[in-house]
Amino acid sequence: MVKGEVVLGCLAPHPPHVVYAENPEQNEPFSEGGWEALRWGYHSLARKLKDIDYDCIVVLTPHWQTYVGTHFLGLERFQNISVDPIFPNLFRFNHDITVDVEMAEAMHDAAAEAGIITKMMRNPDFRVDYGTIVSCHMLNPDWDKPIVTISSNRSTHYYSNEVMNEQATALGDAVMKAIEASGKKVVLVASHSLSHRHFVTEAPLPEDMSREHIYNHSQYVWDMKLIDMMRRGEMQEVIDVLPEMIEQTMAEAEGGGLTWMMAAMGMPDYPAEIYGYQSVIGTGNAIAAWDPNESTRQLVL
Amino acid sequence: MSEEPEIVLGLYVPPHPQPLLAPEQNEGWSRLREAFDTCRQRIEESDADLMLIYSTTWPSIVGHQIQAHPKPVFTHVDDDFHFLGSMPYEFHMDEEYAECYREACEARGLHARTVAYDGFPIDTGSVVALKLLNPDNRIPACIVSSNVYSNRAEQIVLGKAARDAMSKLGKKVVIVVVASLSNRMFTEHIDPADDRIHSAKDDEWNRKILEFFGNGRLEDISQLSRDIQGQIRVSKVVAYKPAWWMAATMGQHNNYDGEVLAYEALHGAGGAVIQLTPAKGGVGDKEFDEDDVEFYHGDRSVLDKGML
């Protein structure tokens, strides 16, 4: 059998604001737009994905938080409405999601074999988290590919950022073994922001861009430092510095997504494609992609 | 409008789904379930007309969210313990109180909003509490979120705003705080029969807190919140807030009859069902180590003031 591979890795933040601003038919609220720097970046990355041959999207999301191990969606279809618990005024999304259960089980088994505590999620009433939905919708609004969702084990809370890095690395290594054995072409998605301190108030019109800016300059400086390192292909260095960045910016990478994805991709030393950066309710959000294929890798921004 | 709200009793209950979904799998979980049932009966025997829930498993970011859907209907599944089963629910919320609470929050400087959306994800802790304590929706309820960034001043004001709204509407209220004591769970799956408190240290602190609760010393527990956070709380949020809110809502004193109905492990965390009943002649004098805040002015500009 042909060896499976990762054909693209994406850092894909999931503020529900970007879906709200798109006004897709699945989402109930109506907006007048907003956050174009992110949305247009997503559009560009989605166009690139259309030209890539792949079988499924595998996303690690910090909004399925598990304290007892790492869990994997384990049923073929989830149809429901997802209402964001934080921004219900912006995101009430009717979804119909297809899961690549075979891939999920293979990843679960590989992780378990590596000593990671794991669990398949097979309750049909389970509501898929909005992080998964936002990232996947923005990358593939046609929803024509199956997904695998991996929960975020909260090892940062229970132990430390350093332990999170170790455990997410082990998970990435295990997931890569499962991908290679599957023979499939896979897109990996780390669904999260960079700096992650929110404003605790909201403008009367949420898409009023005159009110949108980063929470503070320190967060911006950290975000730019990481993006610069991504541009230079210094991903091992990014992962090494991540614990300090998480501590200082409450970075959502605490959920393990970026570390997991970079570990699975062998810590890329080639430049990331940067598609956009913008704040959303004060948080710092970058859209980036790592293309292992040198012939299709681009300088985007 | 009466000056003081009429609070019939206050309950402190755990958020985990085991007592609802799987009490038969562990004797301790079964005892917690019995304690919930006892509280349910006592609520039924009271003439309360509102159950107000503060849930630590409903995080918010944009201020404080207050559940105002008159009849939320959904089927909830817990993120970790999905294999224990689903939790279908249909609750009855007090819209009038929810709006009044929001107004009272805003009058005290807080950012607050009501939420009333079909399919809104009511959290595990609130679902467990409402299904076990108010299974037939005998009295309308209201739920308030726990803002992830808020600290003591904001929580105290949030509690006082709850009292304002109760007084304004003349409600007789059961207060329910949904929170663990120690909240460190085992990070692996366990045989339910083997459940125990995660560590001796957690157990010792839990028992000390229960001693305070048993003596009705709510304000003293409130004053100990920062110590509790540092000693036995996994730092998911900035502070251990439930005792601040509970004390500010019920009354910042130690004049309560306290009863610990159950204390058991829930996958390693400390789960207790506790009842506090307002009384006279409680023990201990309250000591305000920190400001007793009436109006929320936002974060203190410590650096700015330091330049004066």
Side-chain angles (χ1 to χ4, degrees), chain B:
Chain B
M1 174 175 155
S2 57
E3 286 297 313
E4 291 291 318
E6 190 168 353
I7 294 169
V8 179
L9 53 91
L11 300 173
Y12 190 108
V13 299
H16 303 74
Q18 285 85 347
L20 174 67
L21 296 175
E24 72 287 353
Q25 292 186 19
N26 174 284
E27 287 183 9
W29 302 350
S30 173
R31 283 190 286 272
L32 284 166
R33 174 61 174 268
E34 289 170 13
F36 269 108
D37 292 344
T38 299
C39 291
R40 171 186 52 75
Q41 191 173 351
R42 290 177 183 178
I43 292 168
E44 287 174 3
E45 290 166 358
S46 78
D47 53 356
D49 53 19
L50 172 68
M51 179 181 291
L52 176 59
I53 295 176
Y54 170 85
S55 176
T56 55
T57 54
W58 181 13
S60 61
I61 287 171
V62 181
H64 305 275
Q65 298 196 139
I66 301 164
Q67 180 57 249
H69 194 299
K71 197 168 89 171
V73 180
F74 211 75
T75 297
H76 177 69
V77 177
D78 187 71
D79 278 356
D80 256 310
F81 300 108
H82 42 78
F83 51 89
L84 292 178
S86 306
M87 293 173 260
Y89 64 77
E90 179 178 325
F91 297 135
H92 175 202
M93 295 291 155
D94 187 331
E95 301 165 80
E96 182 188 27
Y97 179 80
E99 290 298 336
C100 191
Y101 190 6
R102 177 189 57 75
E103 290 168 5
C105 287
E106 291 173 351
R108 283 182 178 269
L110 299 174
H111 190 85
R113 65 184 180 192
T114 53
V115 294
Y117 300 101
D118 290 341
F120 183 88
I122 294 181
D123 60 289
T124 295
S126 296
V127 171
V128 169
L130 280 167
K131 283 185 75 79
L132 289 178
L133 297 173
N134 194 29
D136 303 319
N137 294 315
R138 288 169 59 94
I139 56 176
C142 184
I143 312 168
V144 62
S145 69
S146 180
N147 185 289
V148 297
Y149 298 117
S150 68
N151 213 299
R152 183 177 181 277
E154 205 168 341
Q155 289 302 120
I156 295 288
V157 173
L158 185 66
K160 289 181 177 179
R163 287 173 70 85
D164 295 342
M166 292 170 200
S167 296
K168 183 173 183 181
L169 298 177
K171 294 286 185 182
K172 297 181 80 168
V173 187
V174 172
I175 301 294
V176 180
V177 163
V178 180
S180 306
L181 298 175
S182 63
N183 65 345
R184 183 173 287 275
M185 295 194 292
F186 293 109
T187 53
E188 64 268 27
H189 298 281
I190 62 170
D191 183 332
D194 296 335
D195 204 357
R196 61 178 173 78
I197 300 295
H198 191 277
S199 70
K201 181 188 176 188
D202 283 359
D203 189 42
E204 191 174 357
W205 264 95
N206 289 340
R207 290 181 188 280
K208 176 55 70 179
I209 296 167
L210 292 174
E211 186 183 323
F212 276 55
F213 267 123
N215 290 327
R217 296 171 62 181
L218 176 58
E219 177 57 24
D220 286 347
I221 297 169
S222 175
Q223 296 287 334
L224 278 172
S225 285
R226 295 192 197 282
D227 289 312
I228 292 169
Q229 172 75 5
Q231 294 292 338
I232 56 166
R233 299 287 292 185
V234 172
S235 54
K236 298 184 222 174
V237 292
V238 296
Y240 170 70
K241 310 172 194 184
W244 286 332
W245 184 86
M246 191 175 197
T249 304
M250 290 191 69
Q252 293 164 287
H253 53 75
N254 293 316
N255 295 333
Y256 298 96
D257 290 329
E259 182 182 2
V260 177
L261 289 93
Y263 163 59
E264 302 290 345
L266 285 160
H267 207 88
V273 176
I274 302 158
Q275 179 177 327
L276 292 176
T277 309
K280 291 181 179 174
V283 297
D285 295 324
K286 63 182 178 184
E287 289 184 21
F288 285 114
D289 296 332
E290 302 183 65
D291 292 348
D292 183 20
V293 190
E294 295 292 341
F295 186 90
Y296 187 61
H297 296 277
D299 294 333
R300 299 179 203 192
S301 300
V302 178
L303 293 178
D304 291 347
K305 286 178 181 165
M307 294 167 67
L308 291 174

Side-chain angles (χ1 to χ4, degrees), chain A residues 63-69 71 80-81 83-89 92 117-123 125-127 157-159 196-202 250 281, chain B residues 58-63 65 74-75 77-83 85-86 111 113 115 117-121 147 149 183-189 234-236 267 299:
Chain A
H63 287 288
W64 180 10
Q65 302 191 353
T66 52
Y67 292 87
V68 191
H71 299 216
N80 212 328
I81 182 169
V83 180
D84 185 328
I86 309 293
F87 302 103
N89 51 324
R92 303 190 297 278
I117 307 298
T118 54
K119 191 80 177 174
M120 292 299 295
M121 203 307 298
R122 301 197 195 273
N123 187 323
D125 296 322
F126 187 79
R127 173 152 35 184
H157 290 159
Y158 268 41
Y159 301 106
H196 202 236
R197 182 58 163 93
H198 303 77
F199 293 113
V200 293
T201 59
E202 189 178 54
M250 306 179 77
I281 197 162
Chain B
W58 181 13
S60 61
I61 287 171
V62 181
Q65 298 196 139
F74 211 75
T75 297
V77 177
D78 187 71
D79 278 356
D80 256 310
F81 300 108
H82 42 78
F83 51 89
S86 306
H111 190 85
R113 65 184 180 192
V115 294
Y117 300 101
D118 290 341
F120 183 88
N147 185 289
Y149 298 117
N183 65 345
R184 183 173 287 275
M185 295 194 292
F186 293 109
T187 53
E188 64 268 27
H189 298 281
V234 172
S235 54
K236 298 184 222 174
H267 207 88
D299 294 333

Side-chain angles (χ1 to χ4, degrees), chain A residues 143-209:
Chain A
W143 289 94
D144 55 358
K145 299 283 184 181
I147 69 163
V148 172
T149 292
I150 305 176
S151 77
S152 167
N153 179 265
R154 309 312 286 170
S155 48
T156 287
H157 290 159
Y158 268 41
Y159 301 106
S160 67
N161 298 331
E162 289 79 5
V163 169
M164 175 281 292
N165 252 355
E166 294 292 325
Q167 294 191 348
T169 297
L171 181 64
D173 292 342
V175 160
M176 193 59 216
K177 284 181 185 169
I179 292 170
E180 287 178 348
S182 73
K184 291 185 176 178
K185 294 178 177 174
V186 173
V187 172
L188 298 184
V189 176
S191 170
H192 57 81
S193 309
L194 295 178
S195 66
H196 202 236
R197 182 58 163 93
H198 303 77
F199 293 113
V200 293
T201 59
E202 189 178 54
L205 184 70
E207 60 267 40
D208 178 354
M209 290 295 100

